[in-house]
Amino acid sequence: MARIKIFDTTLRDGEQSPGVTLNLREKREIARQLARLGVDVIEAGFPVASPGDFESVSEIARVTAEENADVVVAGLARAHQGDIERAAAALETAAAPRIHTFIATSPIHIEKKLQSTPDAVLQRAVDAVTFAKTFVDDVEFSAEDAGRSDPAFLEAIFAATVEAGATTINVPDTVGYMTPWEYGALIERLLEAVPALRNVDLSTHCHDDLGMAVANSLAGVRAGATQVECTLNGIGERAGNASLEEIVMALETRKDVWGHATGVATRELYRTSRMVSMMTGMVVPPNKAVVGDNAFAHESGIHQDGVIKAVETYEIMSAETVGRDAGVLVMGKHSGRRAFRATLQDLGYGELEDDDLDRLFAQFKDLADRKASVTSEDIRALVDAETTRVPETYALKRVQFQSGTGVTPVATVEVEVDGVAHEEAAVGDGPVDAIYHAIERLTGRTLRLESYEIRSVGHGKDALGEVTVRARQDDHVVHARGLSTDVVEASAKAYLEAMNKLAAGLGRPVGGTRPEDAAPAPDGATGAPTP
Ligand code: KIV
Ligand code: ZN
C-alpha cells in the first residue's frame, strides 16, 4: 500500500486565517502535537515575513530536532534570494529542513501581480531552486495559482525545477477554483508529460473557496499525487485549506478505494483539532466532519435504535479511532501527585517541567472537588491551557455576582495586579457584562469584545465550561480562553487572559499584517509578502 505524505501547513497557511493570532509558545506546542500526530512535514512559517515568523520557524526547527521528532520542518520563501537566505537561516537547527519556494504561474498573476513574463518566471523558479539547494537537499517548489495556469507552462516549469534539484513539486489550487475531475486530470497530465515527476513527490495544495478542497486533494491522490498539503480543521486563507482530519480519515476509512496509508496516528486527531481550535480561537462548527461535536452524535430515534443494535448501522468509523473516547474516568479526588504524573504520561505529556506539574496538580485537585468525575478530556484541557499560559500581570482571585429575573446584574471581582490585590464592582446587562465592566475598571483597560463563544468540555451538568474570546485594544487583537466548571468564572478568566496577552505584547496588529511585513517586495508588488 503506497504511503501518502501529510504536509501540515496549519502554522503557515492556517495562520493566515483572518483574525488568527498565535504566539511563539502556542506555535511550539502545536508543532510538538503535530509531531505526535505523525505528520510528515510541518510548514512552520514564512521566515521573511517578520522577526516573529523567523523566530517561530527557528524555535520549531530547534525543538523538533532536540526531541528527535521524525518530521521535516519547512520554511516558506518566495523565489527570491533574500527570502531563501532567511528561510535557510531559520531552519539552521532543523534535523530535516526543507525550503519551500514558490512563484505564481497563472497569466493573471504573472501579468498583473508580478508584472513579468512566463520566461522570466521560469528562470526565477529555476534560480530559486538552485539557490535553495546550496543550503538544503530537500527543496519544494510550488507554482502558485497552478489551478488557473496554462498546463503546458506548468509542464515546462516543473520539468525545469526538477532538473534544478527540487525534490517535491506542488500544484496549488490557490483560489479554490477547480473541480475534482479537473484537478485529477491536471495531476494525471503532469505525470504523463513530465516523467521526472515520478522520481519526486508530487503534492496537492487545495483551497476551499467552493467547498471542494478535500475532494480536489483526493482526486489528486487518485491521479498519482504522493503528498497532500492540508491544515487542522481546514483553517487557512479565506475559506481555508483542505482539512487534514478529513483527508486522513477518508484515506483510512476507505482504504479499499484509495489503497493508500498515511503515517498519522488517528487517535491524536481530535486532541490536535481541539488544541488548534483553542489556540487560534477558530471554533469548530458542531457538524464538522470527524472533529465536530455532532460528528458521532445520533439524534433521531431510528438512528439511535440502529446504533444500539449494531453500531455499524450508522457509524462508518468509531469515535475511538479519532481519539474521542473522552468520557473515560481517569482520576478521582483522592489521586495523588504521583498518580497524576503517571496519568499525564499515559496521555502523552512526558516533558512537563516540575513547576508546570505543581500548578496543574493544584488545578486538578480544585477540579476534582467541584466535579464528580475528572476525565481525560478535562485533563487535556487543563494541560493545554497551562502549557500556553502567559505571564499574569492580572491574576483572578475571586469573582462574585448577583443576577436573576428582574434583578440588575452586579458583579465584584478581586484581581491581583503585580502581586497586589484590588477589588472592583460594576453592574451590567448580564453577569458576564457586569464582570467585564468590573475588570475594565480595575485594570484601566477597555477592550472591544469581537467574539465570545462558550462550549462544554465533555458532557454532564458539571462539565468544564470553556469560554473563548477575541478582544481588541486599539489596533491589536488577541484570542484568549478561560476554563472553569462555573461559566461566569470561565468568562472572567478568558477576559483577563486577553488583557494579560495584550500586557505581554502578544496582540497581533489588526488585519493580520505585522508592521515588519512592509519589507521590500521583490516581485515588484507592494505590501506584505503574504502568499
Ligand atoms: O495557496 C498557495 O498557492 C500557497 C502557496 C504558497 C503554496 O499557499
Ligand atoms: Zn495556500
Side-chain angles (χ1 to χ4, degrees):
M1 194 171 289
R3 172 90 136 68
I4 297 297
K5 290 186 182 161
I6 297 295
F7 176 116
D8 178 89
T9 184
T10 305
L11 295 172
R12 199 277 298 168
D13 220 327
E15 220 232 350
Q16 285 173 216
S17 307
V20 167
T21 58
L22 288 171
N23 61 43
L24 178 67
R25 195 166 181 196
E26 289 165 336
K27 287 186 186 176
R28 187 179 57 211
E29 292 316 313
I30 291 176
R32 278 189 165 140
Q33 178 57 25
L34 288 171
R36 231 177 263 143
L37 179 65
V39 303
D40 299 279
V41 185
I42 296 174
E43 186 163 50
F46 187 14
V48 82
S50 73
D53 272 50
F54 180 91
E55 202 189 344
S56 49
V57 174
S58 162
E59 174 68 1
I60 290 167
R62 187 190 65 75
V63 165
T64 47
E66 207 171 275
E67 294 176 0
N68 292 321
D70 183 15
V71 71
V72 171
V73 179
L76 187 68
R78 289 168 299 182
H80 177 260
Q81 285 210 354
D83 281 32
I84 293 168
E85 278 164 355
R86 207 69 187 130
L91 292 168
E92 224 158 48
T93 49
R98 171 179 300 184
I99 294 179
H100 175 192
T101 186
F102 74 98
I103 192 163
T105 50
S106 63
I108 183 163
H109 278 239
I110 295 178
E111 283 156 32
K112 307 269 188 231
K113 186 179 84 172
L114 303 178
Q115 290 162 2
S116 187
T117 61
D119 284 351
V121 163
L122 190 146
Q123 191 55 52
R124 268 184 63 184
V126 169
D127 291 348
V129 171
T130 310
F131 188 57
K133 287 294 273 192
T134 64
F135 298 99
V136 294
D137 289 335
D138 187 351
V139 173
E140 172 165 337
F141 171 71
S142 286
E144 190 190 11
D145 204 16
R148 291 188 299 170
S149 301
D150 173 3
F153 182 53
L154 291 177
E155 288 167 18
I157 203 165
F158 289 156
T161 44
V162 172
E163 172 81 24
T167 41
T168 301
I169 293 292
N170 183 28
V171 189
D173 181 19
T174 304
V175 291
Y177 182 68
M178 300 190 84
T179 61
W181 52 94
E182 284 172 324
Y183 193 76
L186 176 62
I187 297 290
E188 219 169 279
R189 171 179 171 155
L190 291 169
L191 282 167
E192 195 65 36
V194 188
L197 286 174
R198 296 184 187 277
N199 307 325
V200 298
D201 275 310
L202 188 59
S203 182
T204 69
H205 179 111
C206 298
H207 280 268
D208 207 31
D209 299 66
L210 293 173
M212 280 186 281
V214 169
N216 286 346
S217 308
L218 291 173
V221 168
R222 183 160 185 254
T226 51
Q227 174 180 283
V228 175
E229 303 197 356
C230 44
T231 60
L232 260 302
N233 306 334
I235 64 171
E237 192 78 46
R238 304 180 312 280
N241 289 62
S243 144
L244 182 149
E245 61 279 6
E246 292 178 24
I247 300 274
V248 167
M249 289 316 292
L251 292 175
E252 172 71 24
T253 310
R254 296 305 313 275
K255 276 196 206 98
D256 55 327
V257 173
W258 304 106
H260 292 304
T262 71
V264 167
T266 60
R267 285 186 55 80
E268 292 291 329
L269 281 171
Y270 184 60
R271 175 173 173 216
T272 320
S273 157
R274 290 283 309 125
M275 188 180 205
V276 168
S277 167
M278 176 199 101
M279 290 184 188
T280 57
M282 291 192 69
V283 175
V284 174
N287 61 332
K288 168 86 175 62
V290 183
V291 292
D293 278 353
N294 296 348
F296 294 90
H298 301 280
E299 186 66 21
S300 90
I302 295 174
H303 286 210
Q304 287 174 351
D305 180 55
V307 169
I308 289 165
K309 288 177 178 148
V311 78
E312 310 82 54
T313 50
Y314 288 101
E315 277 192 12
I316 56 164
M317 55 191 161
S318 75
E320 287 75 23
T321 320
V322 299
R324 297 187 65 158
D325 44 353
V328 186
L329 168 67
V330 288
M331 302 205 73
K333 71 191 220 177
H334 301 297
S335 311
R337 195 171 180 281
R338 190 179 297 196
F340 183 65
R341 185 194 278 270
T343 302
L344 289 177
Q345 269 158 5
D346 285 350
L347 292 174
Y349 301 100
E351 54 302 274
L352 289 178
E353 307 281 333
D354 270 358
D355 281 1
D356 288 339
L357 186 73
D358 289 345
R359 270 196 303 271
L360 277 169
F361 186 58
Q363 289 172 31
F364 157 70
K365 282 290 188 191
D366 185 38
L367 184 61
D369 274 343
R370 297 184 188 202
K371 202 170 179 278
S373 54
V374 178
T375 66
S376 49
E377 194 170 2
D378 292 330
I379 292 184
R380 284 190 169 126
L382 291 180
V383 180
D384 290 344
E386 187 59 31
T387 43
T388 55
R389 220 165 53 95
V390 291
E392 279 192 312
T393 308
Y394 311 109
L396 185 67
K397 289 288 141 201
R398 185 172 60 89
V399 54
Q400 202 178 323
F401 60 92
Q402 199 181 353
S403 150
T405 312
V407 178
T408 303
V410 54
T412 307
V413 292
E414 189 185 329
V415 172
E416 236 173 56
V417 185
D418 292 327
V420 182
H422 297 265
E423 195 175 287
E424 261 303 346
V427 295
D429 289 337
V432 174
D433 191 42
I435 282 169
Y436 284 9
H437 282 312
I439 291 176
E440 286 178 348
R441 270 195 192 161
L442 194 149
T443 59
R445 285 177 186 265
T446 305
L447 307 190
R448 195 163 93 203
L449 193 63
E450 295 196 330
S451 73
Y452 172 97
E453 310 263 358
I454 188 162
R455 72 179 283 278
S456 77
V457 177
H459 304 285
K461 288 192 204 123
D462 62 355
L464 268 176
E466 179 186 72
V467 171
T468 311
V469 297
R470 174 179 151 96
R472 176 171 170 175
Q473 186 175 34
D474 303 323
D475 56 354
H476 281 72
V477 69
V478 285
H479 281 105
R481 86 172 184 151
L483 269 179
S484 171
T485 47
D486 176 336
V487 293
V488 178
E489 186 178 277
S491 305
K493 285 183 173 173
Y495 208 50
L496 278 173
E497 186 178 273
M499 294 204 171
N500 281 324
K501 283 188 165 175
L502 287 160
L506 296 171
R508 179 156 171 178
V510 175
T513 316
R514 304 163 184 85
E516 303 84 348
D517 285 351
D523 291 327
T526 52
T530 43

